């Protein structure tokens, strides 16, 4: 159950897509003053060294954030907030640290916002707690070694009725696919108006294909708007490494679709490795 360590994958193309969507969505919600509850059901270790340890073995960041970091495209306005988050944790020009979603969300917290983190891994929970303890905003952050799937509902609805939930499982267990669906079902019953961002790998396995159908059905049942964005960086028949991933967003902020219409072609160009590089963007209503 615990063979997955996000440190192997930190800063890869999937992190780039997911974190761009995350930052854009949070910043849009923060245009209003009301407090926001941010929930990360699968937090990981919080922050990762890209220059030693697991990241050096996998080198996945070379096909992700390292490419974007060196690209002039990072200077474009749509990438500014992502760049600022990265620079905050890398004060010199070198990109040595990749902030995971807990660090990115912590960076975005305003005084009135709160962040709730779930992480089950027996080693990563300790790393996450230590990492969060280094942050100035730690008093606004709660870290729990509990199952994010089952305990999400216990935090909903947030007192302010404003919230964004990131659900980012490793899909290490086949049962994760079903757990996403049942956890979201419980969550939407309590808090139908929250923004939910679900990350998923695009794989040939049936569970992966069925997940999208189930998310679609769930959104229809709850009559919620949705957005699906996928990015493929290469196309090889082998699935030895992840080549494509997506985000499904329930109640997306209205600026997210135009934002992705502008940024996905750039990501395809900068991160794409062969002619199989592609993106796909779909929404429940015309953009
Ligand atoms: N959200 C992180 C980011 O963007 O930086 C990456 C998270 S990683 C893909 C998934 C994490 O979920 C792993 O660290 C894994 O140990 C943890 N995990 C697996 N099952 C879990 C569960 N049921 N509840 C909470 N955490 C879980």
């Amino acid at each position: 159950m615990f063979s997955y360590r996000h440190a192997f994958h930190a800063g890869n193309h999937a992190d780039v897509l997911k974190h761009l969507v995350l930052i854009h969505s949070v910043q849009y919600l923060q245009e209003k003053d009301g407090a926001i509850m941010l929930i990360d059901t699968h937090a990981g270790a919080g922050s990762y060294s890209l220059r030693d340890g697991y990241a050096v073995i996998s080198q996945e960041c070379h096909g992700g954030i390292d490419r974007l970091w060196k690209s002039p495209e990072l200077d474009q306005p749509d990438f500014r907030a992502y760049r600022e988050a990265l620079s905050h944790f890398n004060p010199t020009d070198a990109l040595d640290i990749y902030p995971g979603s807990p660090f990115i969300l912590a960076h975005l917290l305003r005084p009135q916002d709160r962040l709730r983190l779930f992480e089950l891994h027996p080693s990563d929970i300790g790393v996450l707690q230590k990492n969060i303890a280094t942050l100035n905003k730690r008093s606004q952050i709660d870290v729990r070694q509990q199952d994010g799937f089952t305990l999400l509902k216990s935090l909903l609805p947030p007192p302010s009725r404003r919230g964004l939930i990131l659900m980012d499982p490793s899909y290490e267990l086949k049962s994760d696919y079903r757990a996403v669906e049942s956890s979201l079902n419980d969550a939407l019953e309590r808090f139908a108006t929250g923004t939910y961002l679900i990350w998923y790998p695009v794989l040939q396995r049936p569970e992966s294909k069925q997940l999208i159908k189930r998310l679609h059905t769930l959104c229809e049942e709850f009559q919620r708007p949705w957005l699906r964005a996928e990015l493929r960086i290469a196309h090889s028949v082998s699935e030895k490494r992840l080549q494509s991933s997506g985000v499904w967003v329930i109640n997306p902020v209205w600026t997210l679709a135009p934002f992705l219409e502008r940024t996905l072609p750039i990501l395809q160009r900068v991160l794409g490795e062969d002619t199989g590089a592609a993106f796909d963007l779909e929404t429940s209503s015309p953009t």
Side-chain angles (χ1 to χ4, degrees):
M1 148 111 198
F2 291 116
S3 57
Y4 182 94
R5 305 295 296 272
H6 195 67
F8 277 104
H9 311 289
N12 70 0
H13 59 91
D15 265 5
V16 171
L17 172 65
K18 171 180 63 187
H19 293 154
L20 269 172
V21 171
L22 181 66
I23 292 169
H24 180 86
S25 303
V26 172
Q27 287 201 318
Y28 178 82
L29 293 173
Q30 287 177 330
E31 286 181 11
K32 286 191 185 154
D33 283 342
I36 303 171
M37 168 89 81
L38 300 168
I39 304 173
D40 193 345
T41 59
H42 295 71
S47 172
Y48 306 92
S49 167
L50 295 179
R51 307 301 161 216
D52 57 35
Y54 295 126
V56 177
I57 302 167
S58 70
Q59 303 195 345
E60 286 197 22
C61 63
H62 294 349
I65 193 55
D66 280 351
R67 281 183 178 225
L68 190 59
W69 186 252
K70 288 179 205 141
S71 162
E73 304 280 15
L74 198 61
D75 294 329
Q76 297 216 11
D78 282 325
F79 291 94
R80 188 178 300 141
Y82 187 34
R83 188 201 179 108
E84 276 172 13
L86 295 169
S87 297
H88 177 80
F89 297 105
N90 293 276
T92 66
D93 264 359
L95 185 69
D96 295 327
I97 301 294
Y98 190 78
S101 50
F103 264 39
I104 289 174
L105 290 170
H107 172 64
L108 296 175
L109 282 176
R110 303 167 301 172
Q112 64 270 44
D113 301 329
R114 296 290 176 269
L115 174 57
R116 302 283 176 258
L117 305 171
F118 292 97
E119 173 54 51
L120 267 188
H121 195 287
S123 302
D124 275 354
I125 182 67
V127 183
L128 176 64
Q129 282 163 335
K130 270 192 196 153
N131 282 333
I132 294 296
T134 65
L135 300 176
N136 293 338
K137 299 179 193 166
R138 58 187 172 274
S139 61
Q140 294 169 246
I141 306 171
D142 179 51
V143 185
R144 301 181 185 188
Q145 186 177 13
Q146 288 174 324
D147 183 342
F149 283 135
T150 52
L151 285 169
L152 169 60
K153 60 179 181 240
S154 69
L155 298 180
L156 301 178
S160 62
R161 299 292 194 277
R162 302 190 70 223
L164 179 142
I165 294 95
L166 171 64
M167 188 172 286
D168 181 24
S170 53
Y171 300 91
E172 185 186 2
L173 303 174
K174 279 189 182 174
S175 58
D176 279 359
Y177 291 92
R178 279 288 192 182
V180 167
E181 186 189 1
S182 61
S183 178
L184 284 172
N185 190 75
D186 289 348
L188 285 166
E189 276 179 0
R190 286 166 177 76
F191 185 40
T193 55
T195 296
Y196 295 83
L197 199 169
I198 301 104
W199 179 85
Y200 58 90
V202 178
L203 300 169
Q204 287 309 314
R205 64 169 76 146
E207 296 83 8
S208 178
K209 292 179 178 168
Q210 282 159 11
L211 178 68
I212 299 307
K213 285 188 192 152
R214 295 210 177 102
L215 289 171
H216 197 271
T217 305
L218 197 65
C219 287
E220 274 181 353
E221 278 170 14
F222 283 89
Q223 299 185 325
R224 294 290 102 200
W226 54 267
L227 175 151
R228 179 182 65 82
E230 293 182 2
L231 175 68
R232 170 171 292 284
I233 55 142
H235 193 64
S236 129
V237 284
S238 125
E239 278 199 350
K240 280 192 182 147
R241 68 182 179 116
L242 185 68
Q243 303 174 89
S244 179
S245 74
V247 286
W248 184 281
V249 188
I250 303 173
N251 298 318
V253 302
W254 77 268
T255 51
L256 184 59
F259 171 78
L260 286 167
E261 276 169 9
R262 297 189 299 271
T263 51
L264 280 169
I266 298 174
L267 293 180
Q268 177 191 350
R269 210 165 47 240
V270 175
L271 305 186
E273 295 177 0
D274 62 30
T275 53
F279 67 86
D280 198 10
L281 178 62
E282 189 187 6
T283 60
S284 53
S285 52
T287 60

